[in-house]
Amino acid sequence: MSTLELLRPDHAEAVLAFERANRAYFARSIPDRGDAYFAEFAARHAALLAEQAEGVCRFHVIRGADGEVVGRVNLIDLVDGSAELGYRIAESAAGRGLARAAVAEVCRLAAAAYGLTALTAATTVDNAASRAVLAHNGFRVRHECRLGGRPGLAYRRDLTDLRPSA
């Protein structure tokens, strides 16, 4: 069983350990964060929390049964009722439906708690698992794009069907 939590200051150590442990795994399907991300992690974590406090972004961690961070699901640039979705799941937890469930939960939160009406997302063309997660959660391909120099697809998900009725 896993739980989704809004990012907090006390998540820093666990998130850094998650990112380090999965760096090579993530780099196989998404652009690498680069060495500066790890070297400046404390400042980066503080900046993310500040953005979240301002209401610009919403960052979430997925905790596994033992409390370890096994994934992240983020909403970036909440503007005009929309945001960009990003997510990553630890190699050790991949293939168990965590991303699908976490993205579904964040879509519900985006509509009901954060007041959003649409989400966008992008993934590389060769990331079949991520494309499946997006399709399963109602995202539709909008156009081709480039991600870190690699061919990608941009998606959109209308959230009006998830908004609470007045």
Side-chain angles (χ1 to χ4, degrees):
M1 174 171 223
S2 64
T3 59
L4 186 74
E5 301 175 1
L6 199 59
L7 186 68
R8 302 185 312 255
D10 64 314
H11 287 136
E13 188 176 318
V15 170
L16 179 57
F18 163 81
E19 292 289 348
R20 281 185 175 145
N22 291 284
R23 184 177 184 183
Y25 171 66
F26 294 146
R28 291 195 298 253
S29 58
I30 57 176
D32 184 61
R33 292 190 184 276
D35 293 338
Y37 174 86
F38 297 94
E40 301 161 6
F41 184 82
R44 173 83 175 132
H45 190 75
L48 294 179
L49 291 168
E51 287 180 32
Q52 184 166 269
E54 293 169 11
V56 176
C57 301
R58 294 285 184 256
F59 304 103
H60 307 85
V61 297
I62 305 166
R63 295 255 193 194
D66 295 329
E68 75 283 11
V69 172
V70 294
R72 300 178 70 180
V73 184
N74 301 321
L75 296 173
I76 309 296
D77 298 333
L78 282 72
V79 177
D80 297 328
S82 183
E84 182 179 346
L85 171 77
Y87 53 92
R88 49 184 54 206
I89 301 295
E91 184 173 21
S92 64
R96 296 190 218 157
L98 286 177
R100 183 175 25 161
V103 167
E105 179 61 22
V106 168
C107 285
R108 285 189 290 277
L109 282 170
Y114 307 149
L116 300 178
T117 57
L119 295 178
T120 60
T123 188
T124 54
V125 171
D126 62 350
N127 191 340
S130 188
R131 290 187 1 243
V133 165
L134 293 171
H136 179 83
N137 281 290
F139 285 79
R140 301 290 175 249
V141 174
R142 302 298 282 184
H143 57 83
E144 294 178 357
C145 63
R146 304 288 295 175
L147 296 170
R150 297 165 63 177
L153 296 170
Y155 292 77
R156 186 174 191 281
R157 164 66 154 100
D158 180 77
L159 301 174
T160 54
D161 63 316
L162 298 175
R163 298 209 28 119
S165 35

